[in-house]
Amino acid sequence: MKKFTVFWIYAILLAFSAYALDRPSQSTHFNFSYAADKGAEGQLASFAFDYGLDWNCIKTVAGTQINLDIFDIFFGASYIPNQLRFRTKRKELSLGLSGIYHLQRQTGIATENDFIISTDFSVDCDCGFSFKMQGGYGFKGTKVDAIYDYTGYIWDRTFVLTFDFEKMWKNGLCTYLKCGSHNSYRYPLFISPIYDFGAAYTFKDQYGNNVQAGGEFEIKFADQFTTAPYISGIQFKLTFGYFF
């Protein structure tokens, strides 16, 4: 209950700031996912929701994901100053900073805290193609219930590296590939990357706002670079977004 309270207080503050400051662009996303693997999340369905605000230079987002055994929340923010936006004839390049805090609770097993600070570089082309690279550093603090009285929190440090490729077609179809060290709700150590392949269709509602519906296929690898890699998880996702 405390975790839910923290999340909703943060979400309410975000919503309040949307009207107390200059009106930003807002977005909400709902995801339903099913894990087909036999690992910690095998045969489990998850529901996720996030809410974001975009003031152009500053972006914030808060999200939560729930299934029968695991609860997650995350808070993220990024800053891209106008001085680090460079416009050419057909594209815009930008450079900024971002940070993420993620909390995961595995019922009766462990609590995980993740902190990430990174530099973001992005390219947005007039043709609808965009590329984003994120590189930085992260800390992971894990409380294992069975041994916490003896060890306290177990801390790990890791590098952060992600690549996002996206193409928006003129008919409203969006296709994308994301690969990297983490996603919004999962933060393995650097050598265990996550790959997301997805497509979504965007259309206007009666109020002129964008509505987006799509699907996604996710593959998680364990220790891909130091030993023989193997697939540790597979997820199928249905996504719904609203931009206003």
Side-chain angles (χ1 to χ4, degrees):
M1 182 59 68
K2 291 181 179 180
K3 300 181 184 69
F4 277 106
T5 302
V6 170
F7 170 73
W8 285 114
I9 289 176
Y10 186 81
I12 291 171
L13 288 174
L14 284 180
F16 174 77
S17 64
Y19 294 93
L21 303 175
D22 292 337
R23 182 72 182 271
S25 300
Q26 303 177 66
S27 64
T28 59
H29 291 89
F30 300 88
N31 296 336
F32 170 78
S33 61
Y34 179 76
D37 61 284
K38 297 181 180 179
E41 299 177 79
Q43 311 302 313
L44 286 179
S46 300
F47 297 90
F49 165 78
D50 66 63
Y51 171 60
L53 299 172
D54 184 352
W55 286 274
N56 193 29
C57 288
I58 299 174
K59 299 179 181 180
T60 61
V61 63
T64 182
Q65 178 172 272
I66 302 171
N67 64 36
L68 290 177
D69 297 325
I70 302 174
F71 169 80
D72 296 87
I73 58 174
F74 84 95
F75 311 113
S78 64
Y79 175 59
I80 304 174
N82 288 327
Q83 294 83 352
L84 294 180
R85 295 177 186 269
F86 307 97
R87 180 71 191 178
T88 67
K89 186 176 181 180
R90 297 183 178 179
K91 58 182 177 291
E92 180 179 280
L93 292 77
S94 61
L95 186 67
L97 294 174
S98 65
I100 296 175
Y101 168 68
H102 165 252
L103 170 69
Q104 179 188 92
R105 174 61 185 170
Q106 300 180 38
T107 305
I109 300 176
T111 300
E112 177 183 295
N113 296 269
D114 297 287
F115 306 87
I116 286 177
I117 183 71
S118 65
T119 300
D120 298 350
F121 171 74
S122 62
V123 179
D124 295 285
C125 301
D126 293 346
C127 65
F129 173 79
S130 64
F131 165 74
K132 180 178 180 181
M133 183 179 71
Q134 181 184 74
Y137 206 63
F139 297 87
K140 181 186 295 290
T142 305
K143 173 188 173 184
V144 181
D145 295 356
I147 61 173
Y148 176 72
D149 291 338
Y150 308 99
T151 63
Y153 273 88
I154 301 171
W155 289 95
D156 293 291
R157 292 174 291 180
T158 186
F159 293 104
V160 173
L161 184 64
T162 65
F163 301 93
D164 294 357
F165 305 87
E166 181 177 302
K167 171 65 176 179
M168 178 64 74
W169 305 90
K170 293 182 179 180
N171 61 0
L173 177 67
C174 172
T175 54
Y176 57 89
L177 164 64
K178 300 179 181 180
C179 55
S181 57
H182 66 279
N183 60 23
S184 297
Y185 300 104
R186 296 295 173 261
Y187 296 79
L189 297 180
F190 181 71
I191 56 177
S192 300
I194 301 172
Y195 297 86
D196 291 290
F197 309 86
Y201 180 71
T202 303
F203 57 93
K204 298 284 187 180
D205 67 3
Q206 59 180 329
Y207 305 106
N209 299 318
N210 288 330
V211 181
Q212 188 178 80
E216 191 172 294
F217 174 63
E218 180 178 281
I219 303 176
K220 303 174 187 175
F221 281 88
D223 200 2
Q224 183 176 355
F225 303 108
T226 61
T227 62
Y230 70 92
I231 296 175
S232 63
I234 295 175
Q235 278 194 332
F236 301 92
K237 299 181 181 180
L238 296 176
T239 63
F240 176 82
Y242 189 63
F243 305 83
F244 56 103

